[in-house]
Amino acid sequence: STQFLMENSKHDDDEEIHPVTIRVMGDVEYSGKKLEFYSAFSGKEAKEILKKHPDIALILLDLVMETDMAGLDVVKYLREDLQNHQTRIMLRTGQPAIAPEKKIIIDYEINDYREKTNLTSNRLYSAIISSLRSYEDIQIINKSQKSLEKIIQSSLGISKLQSLDKFINGVLSQFITLIQHQSIALKLKISGMVLSTKTNQIPIQQIIIHESTGEYENYSGTRDPETIPKNIMVNIEQTLKAETDCYNDDVFTGMFKLPDQSVYLLYIKGCHNFSQFDKKIITLFSEHISIAFENLYKYQKLEVDQSKTLINLEEIL
């Protein structure tokens, strides 16, 4: 659910503001989620809730509570002590003379300022939805930044592995880590494996499972396509035919084609409920891995060529 904190004094001149807000917004859904409300009637209560629930999307904050400036103390606590710059803050006040709007907006990290006398049900609804959109945009930006950092870290680590076996193991483990990073709240159970085949021709005559984990753990070393479950082979053949990464229900199959026409496949199960943004991040990571695969192939081919050259020189000498 999307979480809200509403804060005002128990002795406020508008004691009904909490139940009114819940009546206006209680049945509203945003991005398919119900709104969840928390009530605080003092700055102290608000701080405790904010510390306990760092994922609150919006605070409907009263300026005057136990003191004339208690609301602003909560703002400073959230932004400076908790270092939370994502949660949106809408200041609602019945006494605008105490803290003029321009000064408050400039001096404090507040996102909206509303006088209670002008805040009709329709205006309240519009203001809350607008704040939620803003919060959602910030979440996407932060998630994108963290995901890109994860991709860079993972790709650099894998690229340094010059042994094919270590590289394959690194691809599988880092890919699973990325997926779990994308969907922490889902606590996904991920299973995966890395396979290879000589060509992308169908039907597949031979396939090698190099590395596997989760429910596929016992498949490592398998070479006969007949021993692999049919539903897995269907997804693999679909990917080979399309010659590109594929999603099918909760399965992602990544394809990496090398210059010698051999194909490596990354098969991951457990990718359900992924957004288009999540899929773009996974595709980006897959593209990085594809480049690393090709570089490793070239490195190993160079080693083989150098070895043959040395052997030929020894024969001449």
Side-chain angles (χ1 to χ4, degrees):
S1 60
T2 302
Q3 298 179 333
F4 288 84
L5 172 62
M6 297 185 294
E7 180 191 13
N8 73 303
S9 168
K10 288 180 180 177
H11 307 292
D12 192 88
D13 55 353
D14 185 7
E15 294 181 4
E16 291 296 312
I17 195 159
H18 286 222
V20 166
T21 302
I22 294 173
R23 278 201 300 272
V24 171
M25 301 298 298
D27 294 329
V28 174
E29 288 190 5
Y30 183 80
S31 292
K33 298 177 182 179
K34 282 282 190 181
L35 307 185
E36 184 177 351
F37 296 87
Y38 295 91
S39 289
F41 296 96
S42 69
K44 183 180 179 182
E45 287 181 27
K47 290 176 182 178
E48 290 172 355
I49 292 172
L50 290 170
K51 187 175 182 179
K52 188 176 179 181
H53 301 279
D55 57 344
I56 284 175
L58 172 62
I59 305 173
L60 306 178
L61 181 65
D62 193 17
L63 176 64
V64 179
M65 290 175 289
E66 60 265 51
T67 67
D68 286 352
M69 304 295 277
L72 297 182
D73 289 339
V74 173
V75 175
K76 290 184 68 176
Y77 175 76
L78 179 72
R79 302 306 195 200
E80 296 176 11
D81 295 356
L82 298 182
Q83 284 296 299
N84 181 337
H85 300 279
Q86 301 178 34
T87 297
R88 305 291 86 191
I89 301 175
M90 183 193 301
L91 188 68
R92 301 192 293 185
T93 180
Q95 304 177 51
I98 295 176
E101 179 177 353
K102 288 183 180 179
K103 180 173 175 57
I104 293 296
I105 293 293
I106 290 172
D107 293 349
Y108 293 86
E109 196 179 331
I110 290 170
N111 309 106
D112 201 356
Y113 183 106
R114 303 278 174 158
E115 293 183 29
K116 292 179 184 177
T117 53
N118 296 328
L119 201 56
T120 63
S121 296
N122 287 337
R123 286 175 180 171
L124 176 63
Y125 175 87
S126 297
I128 288 177
I129 295 300
S130 177
S131 295
L132 288 182
R133 285 182 180 141
S134 176
Y135 178 79
E136 188 175 50
D137 289 343
I138 290 170
Q139 291 292 93
I140 289 173
I141 291 168
N142 287 340
K143 189 176 181 181
S144 175
Q145 181 180 356
K146 290 176 182 177
S147 296
L148 290 173
E149 288 172 358
K150 193 74 180 175
I151 286 173
I152 292 168
Q153 292 169 2
S154 299
S155 300
L156 287 174
I158 294 172
S159 297
K160 291 176 182 177
L161 300 174
Q162 296 176 341
S163 160
L164 182 60
D165 290 339
K166 289 181 179 179
F167 179 83
I168 288 170
N169 182 272
V171 168
L172 186 59
S173 62
Q174 290 294 342
F175 204 93
I176 289 174
T177 299
L178 177 68
I179 290 175
Q180 290 171 334
H181 171 76
Q182 287 299 109
S183 297
I184 295 172
L186 297 176
K187 297 180 180 178
L188 298 176
K189 292 182 179 179
I190 306 295
S191 297
M193 51 187 167
V194 180
L195 316 91
S196 71
T197 181
K198 292 292 185 182
T199 69
N200 62 335
Q201 292 182 352
I202 301 170
I204 299 170
Q205 300 300 320
Q206 186 183 46
I207 197 164
I208 303 172
I209 299 180
H210 298 270
E211 190 69 33
S212 58
T213 188
E215 66 180 78
Y216 305 133
E217 191 169 1
N218 295 328
Y219 286 100
S220 290
T222 298
R223 291 176 176 267
D224 184 359
E226 296 294 327
T227 62
I228 300 174
K230 188 175 180 180
N231 63 311
I232 294 177
M233 291 305 300
V234 167
N235 285 328
I236 289 172
E237 288 176 357
Q238 177 188 357
T239 302
L240 291 174
K241 188 176 180 180
E243 295 191 342
T244 187
D245 298 346
C246 290
Y247 280 92
N248 192 357
D249 296 328
D250 69 336
V251 171
F252 168 79
T253 312
M255 177 178 171
F256 314 103
K257 192 171 183 179
L258 300 184
D260 65 354
Q261 299 305 307
S262 62
V263 177
Y264 279 82
L265 296 149
L266 179 63
Y267 187 91
I268 303 290
K269 181 182 178 184
C271 305
H272 59 80
N273 296 333
F274 268 32
S275 66
Q276 288 302 313
F277 172 79
D278 294 326
K279 292 178 180 180
K280 285 179 181 178
I281 291 297
I282 290 172
T283 298
L284 182 59
F285 183 75
S286 182
E287 288 171 356
H288 278 254
I289 297 305
S290 183
I291 294 169
F293 252 116
E294 189 167 342
N295 288 340
L296 178 61
Y297 169 83
K298 290 177 180 177
Y299 172 81
Q300 292 193 331
K301 189 174 186 302
L302 181 62
E303 275 196 327
V304 171
D305 291 344
Q306 286 176 338
S307 178
K308 287 180 179 177
T309 301
L310 289 172
I311 291 171
N312 290 335
L313 284 172
E314 287 175 359
E315 290 176 352
I316 293 170
L317 295 172

